[in-house]
């Protein structure tokens, strides 16, 4: 299990009865998490003193119940980066804090490289990984199909005072963008991708990760440079274990470039128990 010990503005305080008790800066939120199947004693008083709680609806979606005033937005820091937090209609806040371990991994490679690196971040969401790579010195291409998420990523870059660093912000279908990059002959030294488990494209196309991940990786390999530094594949899809993703990268990327593949779950330490809550899977290829 890989996890970051570098958070100060985010804390997973406790977990019980399908919910997380979290601190986002000075704001305490309670959010659902279906994998929290245990019912432990909620001895922390913050369970009864949170600012807001997200309730799922049996019909899909849900709503926030507020107990104290919650700002429309506020900021939290991670190392030298600043992220804008906004509670959204589907329980999200704009940051997946468990991903910090992957931001650090990519940034470390970029900082240690003896050459300037070009990085492609697909399904880039609000840009946390993009910002980490920019801060480390890479030229980044950030792609997401949501105009709102790309705008949010730009705001995060401005808040982090790195908006002047080399980056391309693109609202586009990730697969179609990569296909065009192949035709243009553009190459990248590192690729980060966190594709959704399920979704629909702008034309109503159905996306199921288990069915389309192989073809997605296959097209992305074609925009890797001749001397790539990393390929990071993350998934929250239950059926895709780290071992499955490792196998995929081994037969596709390692076969062509050599190197090694390592996969693991990523998680967050729970302050009240000291245990690690699993939060997804990542497989990484490096030379």
């Amino acid at each position: 299990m890989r996890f970051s010990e570098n958070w100060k503005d985010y804390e997973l305080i406790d977990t019980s009865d399908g919910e997380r008790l979290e601190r986002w800066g000075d704001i305490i939120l309670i959010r659902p998490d279906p994998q929290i199947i245990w019912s432990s004693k909620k001895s922390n008083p913050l369970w009864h003193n949170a600012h807001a709680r997200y309730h799922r609806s049996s019909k899909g979606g849900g709503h926030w119940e507020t107990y104290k005033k919650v700002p429309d937005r506020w900021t939290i820091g991670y190392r030298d980066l600043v992220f804008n937090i906004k509670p959204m209609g589907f329980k999200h806040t704009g940051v997946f804090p468990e991903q910090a371990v992957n931001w650090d991994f990519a940034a470390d490679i970029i900082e240690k490289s003896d050459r300037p690196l070009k990085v492609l971040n697909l399904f880039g969401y609000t840009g946390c990984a993009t910002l980490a790579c920019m801060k480390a010195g890479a030229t980044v291409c950030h792609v997401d199909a949501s105009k709102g998420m790309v705008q949010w990523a730009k705001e995060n870059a401005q808040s982090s005072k790195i908006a002047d660093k080399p980056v391309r912000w693109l609202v586009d279908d990730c697969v179609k963008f990569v296909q065009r990059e192949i035709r243009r002959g553009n190459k990248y030294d590192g690729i980060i991708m966190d594709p959704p488990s399920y979704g629909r494209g702008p034309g109503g196309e159905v996306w199921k990760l288990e069915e389309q991940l192989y073809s997605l990786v296959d097209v992305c390999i074609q925009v890797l440079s001749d001397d790539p530094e990393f390929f990071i594949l993350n998934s929250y899809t239950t059926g895709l274990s780290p071992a499955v993703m490792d196998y995929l990268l081994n037969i596709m990327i390692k076969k062509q470039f050599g190197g090694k593949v390592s996969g693991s779950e990523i998680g967050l330490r729970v302050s009240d128990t000291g245990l690690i809550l699993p939060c997804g899977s990542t497989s990484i290829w490096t030379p």
Side-chain angles (χ1 to χ4, degrees):
M1 181 83 69
R2 297 166 56 240
F3 57 95
S4 173
E5 296 277 28
N6 297 316
W7 276 108
K8 293 181 174 60
D9 284 358
Y10 170 83
E11 180 184 7
L12 179 53
I13 302 167
D14 197 11
T15 61
S16 183
D17 294 325
E19 293 181 311
R20 299 182 182 191
L21 177 66
E22 302 171 297
R23 178 179 62 82
W24 298 83
D26 297 327
I27 304 297
I28 305 299
L29 300 179
I30 299 173
R31 298 191 301 155
D33 188 327
Q35 68 179 345
I36 299 174
I37 60 174
W38 48 89
S39 181
S40 54
K41 185 178 180 181
K42 296 179 178 179
S43 56
N44 196 303
L46 290 175
W47 280 109
H48 309 288
N49 199 31
H51 289 75
R53 177 184 240 129
Y54 187 86
H55 297 281
R56 287 191 184 277
S57 169
S58 59
K59 299 178 181 179
H63 71 279
W64 288 96
E65 179 183 8
T66 55
Y67 310 118
K68 302 178 184 179
K69 182 174 176 57
V70 178
D72 291 336
R73 71 161 70 187
W74 66 98
T75 60
I76 63 171
Y78 180 76
R79 294 189 158 180
D80 295 330
L81 302 175
V82 177
F83 306 129
N84 292 277
I85 302 300
K86 308 174 194 176
M88 294 186 287
F90 285 92
K91 84 170 184 176
H92 298 304
T93 64
V95 174
F96 289 91
E98 65 273 8
Q99 287 295 328
V101 68
N102 288 331
W103 311 335
D104 289 344
F105 182 89
D108 186 60
I109 290 177
I110 294 164
E111 289 171 353
K112 291 179 178 177
S113 178
D114 58 1
R115 60 193 171 101
L117 301 183
K118 288 179 59 180
V119 174
L120 175 61
N121 185 14
L122 297 172
F123 311 96
Y125 194 51
T126 60
C128 299
T130 295
L131 269 61
C133 293
M134 291 167 64
K135 185 73 176 181
T139 297
V140 186
C141 182
H142 174 105
V143 187
D144 196 280
S146 168
K147 183 178 180 180
M149 292 301 106
V150 174
Q151 178 58 37
W152 194 335
K154 291 180 181 179
E155 294 169 2
N156 284 336
Q158 292 170 350
S159 297
S160 298
K161 295 181 170 53
I162 57 173
D164 59 335
K165 292 187 176 293
V167 61
R168 296 169 66 199
W169 305 108
L170 297 168
V171 180
D172 206 340
D173 177 272
C174 289
V175 174
K176 291 178 180 177
F177 170 78
V178 173
Q179 290 171 338
R180 289 197 298 274
E181 289 291 85
I182 293 171
R183 294 193 292 270
R184 296 171 184 139
N186 289 335
K187 301 286 185 177
Y188 297 89
D189 305 300
I191 294 178
I192 302 170
M193 65 167 70
D194 190 0
S197 299
Y198 179 86
R200 289 187 179 273
E205 310 91 337
V206 175
W207 165 275
K208 291 185 179 179
L209 184 59
E210 299 98 320
E211 297 176 2
Q212 292 171 273
L213 183 56
Y214 178 87
S215 59
L216 173 62
V217 174
D218 184 54
V219 73
C220 287
I221 291 174
Q222 299 176 58
V223 295
L224 282 172
S225 67
D226 294 335
D227 188 20
E229 294 277 4
F230 61 85
F231 191 108
I232 299 175
L233 171 62
N234 192 77
S235 172
Y236 291 97
T237 303
T238 305
L240 287 176
S241 67
V244 169
M245 296 195 298
D246 281 1
Y247 197 100
L248 181 69
L249 296 192
N250 267 296
I251 63 171
M252 300 187 75
I253 301 180
K254 183 179 178 181
K255 181 179 179 181
Q256 180 172 339
F257 292 98
K260 64 179 181 180
V261 174
S262 59
S264 65
E265 289 184 286
I266 58 174
L268 294 166
R269 186 182 294 279
V270 182
S271 298
D272 281 6
T273 64
L275 301 174
I276 309 300
L277 177 70
C279 299
S281 300
T282 303
S283 186
I284 301 173
W285 171 88
T286 56

